Amino acid sequence: MRFKRLDEMFGFGMLGLSALLVVLILCVIIFDISAKGLSVINWEFLSGFPREGMTKGGIFPAIVGTIFVTLITTLFSIPLGVCAAIYISEYTREGTLTGIIRAAIRNLAGVPSIVYGLFGVALFVQGFRFGTSVLSAGLTLGLLTLPWIIATSEEALRAVPQSYREGALALGATKWQSIYTNVLPHAIPGILTGSILGLSRAAGETAPILFTGVAFSLPALPGSVFDQFMALPYHLYILSTQHHAIEQVKPLAYGTALVLIVLVFVMNLTAMIFRYRLRKKFQV
Amino acid sequence: MKKFLYKNKIITKDLSLFFGEKQVLEKINLNIPEHKVTAIIGPSGCGKSTLLRCINRMNDLIESSHIEGNILLDGRNIYENGADVVNIRRKIGMVFQRPNPFPKSIYNNVVYGLKVKGLRDKKRNTEIVERSLKNSGLWEEVKERLNNSALALSGGQQQRLCIARALAVEPEVILMDEPTSALDPASTLKIEELMGKLKERYTIILVTHNMQQAARVSDFTGFLYLGRLIEFDETSRIFTNPKEKLTENYISGRFG
């Protein structure tokens, strides 16, 4: 008996340790970046343009660019992804074709982001002649996010009890009515959470926007979706590897990283609040 | 099949149902008289719920299912090509085994069938909601809190809400799939009394594994065994003087 209990304690201990380690890694990252970057964060850093070869000034255009491009990504990928998920989960019959579609989506999620970048150049920049622009980059990031959105949306739809569908149909609802009024509302919290997690990943990507629209430095903010833009992850990449005075701009690089992390954190927080609100609303 | 002096609301003709290769129902010929409660009894897995779900085409949702034969509603085959499934389901309402209120308010549950039908007249809908809740015997218990969540009701109340929800669409037939199996005796009694009232205006088909319930509330009873309809007769006759040995064994509790 005693041995068994020791076993158990060891097991729980290991599991707890693993969980703790994960949290610890996150804490170390945040602490390290904050410690090195917090000193440069001030109003000028957040609201100014880079000056004197990026050794001074702020990252305002990169913040705006990242938000702008993520907005395009959102507008493109959420509607498309959710519709695809509804089709796959509610309308297709289980069979070879659905199996192939699902496998394709899963594999799409595994494609390296640089490959999406190249594909984006071929399709949006050259094919559709959108040029290197916010639009091309946003759509490329959208492609990257799609498999994520489809997979989480499908899961959320599947989690809605079958009795909601049957109950609605038995009352004379059409299939679309039962989905729209009785299935989708209950899947939306899950869909939103998954989607925003996917989008926050996309916001931090560098490779896909590298060839499709991001610029090293720009004198002005993008005025339309066909303009080039600056972005936080790329700015960070330049400051930490491509700059002529790397040591000098290191605090700025850490400051940029901190802003990027906070931006992503705010997005995730929004998702949480959204989900909480919606859950309360639909539970009535 | 024996003839009764009633108008038949629903007639099944050589109805067979397959799930993939497996035959679940075998050439069922059943006449359901109008404005009566018809009970379908039989041991678990005999196909009684499946039979019920054929009548409002709920088995259409199961991808591997395949049907042969006809079901006539007022003489019209509901499985004919181009039949309007939505319209059929409006005429043939259903109450499920487990109460399945939607996670909406009580009012919105009852009004659901009207809304999907495109009825938006608020005043008229409210009248229908009130009438349906009265007819299902729930009105007095919920009239003060129509905007509260339906999920806060007790199991028995939820089931009566589901009945009210079905009544609001003004069906002609109501299918009840073991509607009291998840309920306590007091709630069961209420629903059984309700069936007695409802049959004046609706035709009710009740699937139950509870023979006492069939004996208490139904006018006709069909005994289903291994996908075949063994016997169909007036309830009083089935329970006192069954013709088939199998029926007798089942109702006397020798198997089940």
Side-chain angles (χ1 to χ4, degrees), chain A residues 65-75 138 141 199-200 202-203 267:
Chain A
T66 290
I67 292 174
F68 195 5
V69 83
T70 309
L71 196 70
I72 300 290
T73 305
T74 310
L75 292 178
L141 287 175
L199 288 171
S200 61
M267 281 176 75

Side-chain angles (χ1 to χ4, degrees), chain B residues 155-201:
Chain B
Q157 289 173 325
Q158 287 187 1
Q159 196 62 302
R160 277 181 285 146
L161 178 68
C162 292
I163 294 174
R165 194 169 73 179
L167 296 181
V169 191
E170 292 174 7
E172 294 163 18
V173 180
I174 300 175
L175 310 176
M176 296 194 169
D177 187 2
E178 302 195 24
T180 62
S181 65
L183 305 183
D184 62 89
S187 307
T188 300
L189 187 66
K190 276 197 183 136
I191 290 192
E192 287 181 2
E193 284 170 0
L194 189 56
M195 284 187 236
K197 259 187 248 158
L198 291 176
K199 74 176 180 184
E200 292 164 17
R201 298 183 50 201

Side-chain angles (χ1 to χ4, degrees), chain B residues 74-111:
Chain B
D74 292 325
R76 244 189 119 182
N77 183 13
I78 63 168
Y79 279 94
E80 74 186 359
N81 282 336
D84 180 356
V85 184
V86 166
N87 200 25
I88 288 164
R89 291 190 186 132
R90 280 186 189 140
K91 283 190 188 164
I92 306 178
M94 185 165 200
V95 177
F96 294 84
Q97 186 169 358
R98 294 177 60 99
N100 62 341
F102 306 136
K104 304 174 189 288
S105 69
I106 295 170
Y107 180 89
N108 280 329
N109 262 278
V110 184
V111 90

Side-chain angles (χ1 to χ4, degrees), chain A residues 92-95 162-175 177-179 181-182 185-186 281-284, chain B residues 53 56 58 60-61 63 86 89-90 92-94 96 100-105 112-113 116-117 147 149 151 165-166 169:
Chain A
T92 55
R93 300 199 152 213
E94 284 304 323
Q162 187 65 14
S163 68
Y164 291 2
R165 297 181 180 86
E166 284 189 344
L169 293 174
L171 289 170
T174 62
K175 184 153 187 169
Q177 282 174 330
S178 91
I179 293 170
T181 62
N182 235 14
H186 306 291
K281 186 178 159 203
F282 286 117
Q283 227 87 70
V284 169
Chain B
R53 292 166 64 94
N56 68 344
M58 229 34 176
D60 290 13
L61 302 183
E63 289 172 7
V86 166
R89 291 190 186 132
R90 280 186 189 140
I92 306 178
M94 185 165 200
F96 294 84
N100 62 341
F102 306 136
K104 304 174 189 288
S105 69
Y112 185 86
V116 296
K117 213 168 155 183
N147 290 318
S149 170
L151 300 181
R165 194 169 73 179
V169 191

Side-chain angles (χ1 to χ4, degrees), chain A residues 38-272:
Chain A
L38 210 52
S39 61
V40 301
I41 305 267
N42 55 35
W43 181 243
E44 203 217 333
F45 185 70
L46 294 175
S47 67
F49 275 65
R51 283 184 290 114
E52 295 171 35
M54 289 186 185
T55 56
K56 291 226 169 69
I59 54 166
F60 183 60
I63 297 175
V64 171
T66 290
I67 292 174
F68 195 5
V69 83
T70 309
L71 196 70
I72 300 290
T73 305
T74 310
L75 292 178
F76 168 64
S77 62
I78 289 192
L80 194 63
V82 172
C83 289
I86 292 174
Y87 178 74
I88 295 167
S89 128
E90 306 290 326
Y91 283 94
T92 55
R93 300 199 152 213
E94 284 304 323
T96 340
L97 188 67
T98 339
I100 291 172
I101 294 177
R102 255 203 212 101
I105 291 169
R106 223 172 290 140
N107 281 309
L108 214 56
V111 172
S113 55
I114 187 78
V115 177
Y116 277 103
L118 289 172
F119 182 72
V121 171
L123 187 67
F124 301 123
V125 177
Q126 291 165 354
F128 289 160
R129 297 185 188 285
F130 292 156
T132 47
S133 61
V134 175
L135 187 60
S136 295
L139 294 177
T140 308
L141 287 175
L143 292 182
L144 181 102
T145 327
L146 264 183
W148 186 296
I149 293 179
I150 294 172
T152 47
S153 303
E154 216 193 317
E155 217 164 285
L157 287 166
R158 264 163 210 281
V160 177
Q162 187 65 14
S163 68
Y164 291 2
R165 297 181 180 86
E166 284 189 344
L169 293 174
L171 289 170
T174 62
K175 184 153 187 169
W176 171 243
Q177 282 174 330
S178 91
I179 293 170
Y180 182 73
T181 62
N182 235 14
V183 177
L184 213 47
H186 306 291
I188 275 183
I191 290 175
L192 270 184
T193 318
S195 301
I196 294 185
L197 280 174
L199 288 171
S200 61
R201 267 227 78 91
E205 280 287 352
T206 316
I209 57 175
L210 198 56
F211 318 124
T212 51
V214 80
F216 179 76
S217 178
L218 290 171
L221 297 176
S224 84
V225 292
F226 294 107
D227 288 343
Q228 284 194 296
F229 62 101
M230 291 177 70
L232 288 169
Y234 187 60
H235 193 66
L236 178 57
Y237 167 70
I238 292 166
L239 289 181
S240 51
T241 63
Q242 308 292 304
H243 202 272
H244 59 86
I246 284 182
E247 281 309 310
Q248 197 191 341
V249 295
K250 207 161 222 172
L252 292 179
Y254 276 105
T256 309
L258 189 59
V259 171
L260 182 57
I261 286 185
V262 168
L263 197 71
V264 167
F265 180 69
V266 167
M267 281 176 75
N268 290 348
L269 201 68
T270 319
M272 271 166 64

